[in-house]
Amino acid sequence: MRAHPLATDAMLAFGAFVAMVVGSFADPHGPHGPTFGTRNPEPVSLLLMLLGATALVFRRRQPRAVLAVTCGLSLLELTTGEPRAPVAMCTVIALYTVAARTDRPTTWRIGLLTMAGLTGVAMLAGPLPWYAQENLGIFAWTGMAAAAGDAVRSRRAFVDAIRERAERAERTRDEEARRRVAEERLRIARDLHDVVAHHIALVNVQAGVAAHVMDKRPDQAKEALAHVRDASRSALNELRATVGLLRQSGDPEAPTEPAPGLGVLDELVDTFRHAGLPVEVIVQLDGAAGPLPAAVDLAAYRVIQEALTNVRKHAGPAAKAEVSVVRVGPSVEVTVLDDGGESADPSPEPVDPGGGHGLLGMRERTGALGGTCFAGPRYGGGYRVHAILPLA
């Protein structure tokens, strides 16, 4: 029916024509109710019924034009037909179609006009008395057609709204899933970068020291290789913990140890001190205010780790670093300073203003918590990293 609407309307028109013809042979005022075969329709009435049924074939393409045509045919039958044939059935179907395909205010206007027009003409200009039940029947049938069409239109609009909300919800779920996947990939990439950059930088430094003093000072070379072994073991452990996040939740091999935080800051700083970078640490956190949120604790640790790694990689061999973690009102401020060292490269390679992956990762971590991160050269030499992490 939906694939061939014109054929469906043709079948409906044929059925309406048969019903009108059969009804025109019935006398509603028989002694025992309506009786058939007691009257015959006029040829003009048969022609009007045929024309009205033909117009119904195009009711979906031109609903208002079809309603106007059927109203005209019905008015002609109401004023001239004797006995009267049920040509108004075409108008009832056409009015239903208009009500089902337009809005409610238009349905009210067109419906009231059609009801009042047909009923008024039938009462005032028809051959029957104004109080005849046929006249009241016209009013009732046209009113029910308008109400039924409006109800069908409301039902269709309701179903369409539900379908649209379901499709929109499906699209939203897909977009949310893609967004979460992208965020998870970015988070894992940040963790991998922090772990690899930090430990590989330490391994590189200690390996260079070992190679430099291997022949003249084997004890110091052995100590440097021990630091290489420790840094490699730490890197493997953190990589295992990070990659373990990709396991299924029910995998017994998934890591259960907590993420690193400021509680192990001393261990982190010791690894840099062993690599030859003097680091001073100042931590001022109000213990009465409770522990830091886990996300803030991890972000502060990663910012310090990445900043010290950059100092060890890019500053001079005589560089010194200062780390401060201070709780200021509703936020924690993390600052890492270095003096650049006496032998820093006076003409370093140009760096992208947006920074590398490390600086980008620090900004992303702080931004995800609603904070800010600044990284740039200091006046007089050296570098400064300053991050503000809201506690809320």
Side-chain angles (χ1 to χ4, degrees):
M1 294 175 64
R2 294 180 179 179
H4 306 283
L6 189 64
T8 302
D9 292 338
M11 295 176 59
L12 175 65
F14 178 75
F17 176 72
V18 172
M20 287 187 294
V21 171
V22 172
S24 63
F25 285 92
D27 182 9
H29 302 287
H32 302 288
T35 55
F36 289 89
T38 57
R39 66 174 186 174
N40 297 321
E42 297 292 334
V44 176
S45 298
L46 291 175
L47 178 61
L48 294 178
M49 287 186 286
L50 180 60
L51 293 176
T54 303
L56 291 179
V57 177
F58 308 97
R59 67 186 184 95
R60 299 195 198 186
R61 296 186 177 182
Q62 299 291 335
R64 299 193 182 188
V66 171
L67 178 60
V69 171
T70 54
C71 281
L73 298 176
S74 298
L75 290 175
L76 184 62
E77 173 63 21
L78 291 175
T79 55
T80 61
E82 182 57 37
R84 183 183 295 174
V87 181
M89 182 181 293
C90 298
T91 304
V92 171
I93 298 175
L95 180 58
Y96 165 83
T97 304
V98 171
R101 301 176 71 87
T102 186
D103 54 12
R104 181 163 294 173
T106 304
T107 299
W108 275 98
R109 291 194 297 268
I110 295 178
L112 289 176
L113 180 62
T114 303
M115 294 164 59
L118 293 182
T119 305
V121 170
M123 288 183 174
L124 300 178
L128 298 178
W130 68 270
Y131 52 83
Q133 63 180 4
E134 288 87 343
N135 298 335
L136 300 178
I138 293 174
F139 183 84
W141 279 103
T142 51
M144 287 189 295
D150 182 71
V152 170
R153 179 198 57 78
S154 299
R155 176 65 178 176
R156 288 174 180 171
F158 177 72
V159 172
D160 292 341
I162 292 178
R163 184 181 296 110
E164 181 182 0
R165 285 197 297 269
E167 294 175 353
R168 186 167 58 250
E170 185 68 23
R171 291 194 301 269
T172 303
R173 282 195 297 269
D174 293 341
E175 294 173 358
E176 179 67 14
R178 287 192 295 268
R179 185 186 66 83
R180 288 181 178 274
V181 169
E183 290 181 352
E184 185 66 13
R185 291 175 59 187
L186 183 61
R187 186 183 66 81
I188 294 175
R190 283 199 303 263
D191 289 340
L192 287 175
H193 174 271
D194 293 342
V195 172
V196 172
H198 165 62
H199 291 290
I200 295 302
L202 296 180
V203 168
N204 180 58
V205 171
Q206 296 294 347
V209 172
H212 181 68
V213 300
M214 179 67 71
D215 297 331
K216 298 180 179 180
R217 303 177 63 182
D219 294 339
Q220 187 175 356
K222 184 181 297 185
E223 182 181 355
L225 291 176
H227 291 313
V228 169
R229 184 180 64 252
D230 294 339
S232 301
R233 184 184 300 111
S234 299
L236 289 175
N237 291 335
E238 291 201 37
L239 283 174
R240 186 180 298 109
T242 302
V243 176
L245 296 175
L246 301 177
R247 298 181 182 273
Q248 298 180 357
S249 59
D251 195 331
E253 298 183 8
T256 57
E257 61 270 15
L262 296 179
V264 293
L265 179 59
D266 292 338
E267 299 178 9
L268 174 67
V269 172
D270 287 340
T271 60
F272 287 99
R273 289 171 177 164
H274 293 154
L277 176 64
V279 182
E280 295 183 5
V281 180
I282 299 176
V283 178
Q284 294 180 355
L285 298 176
D286 186 5
L292 296 179
V296 175
D297 195 24
L298 174 61
Y301 178 87
R302 291 303 188 191
V303 168
I304 296 173
Q305 182 186 50
E306 179 61 28
L308 291 179
T309 302
N310 289 338
V311 173
R312 193 65 190 88
K313 290 168 58 177
H314 303 297
K320 298 179 181 179
E322 298 178 4
V323 177
S324 67
V325 182
V326 181
R327 174 176 261 168
V328 180
S331 62
V332 172
E333 296 189 8
V334 178
T335 305
V336 180
L337 307 175
D338 72 87
D339 56 7
E342 298 178 357
S343 303
D345 187 359
S347 58
E349 296 181 359
V351 180
D352 180 28
H357 292 292
L359 297 180
L360 180 61
M362 287 192 291
R363 295 191 181 100
E364 289 175 347
R365 285 185 183 277
T366 55
L369 299 176
T372 58
C373 180
F374 168 80
R378 298 172 60 193
Y379 178 77
Y383 210 77
R384 176 175 180 263
V385 175
H386 181 70
I388 300 177
L389 304 173
L391 295 176

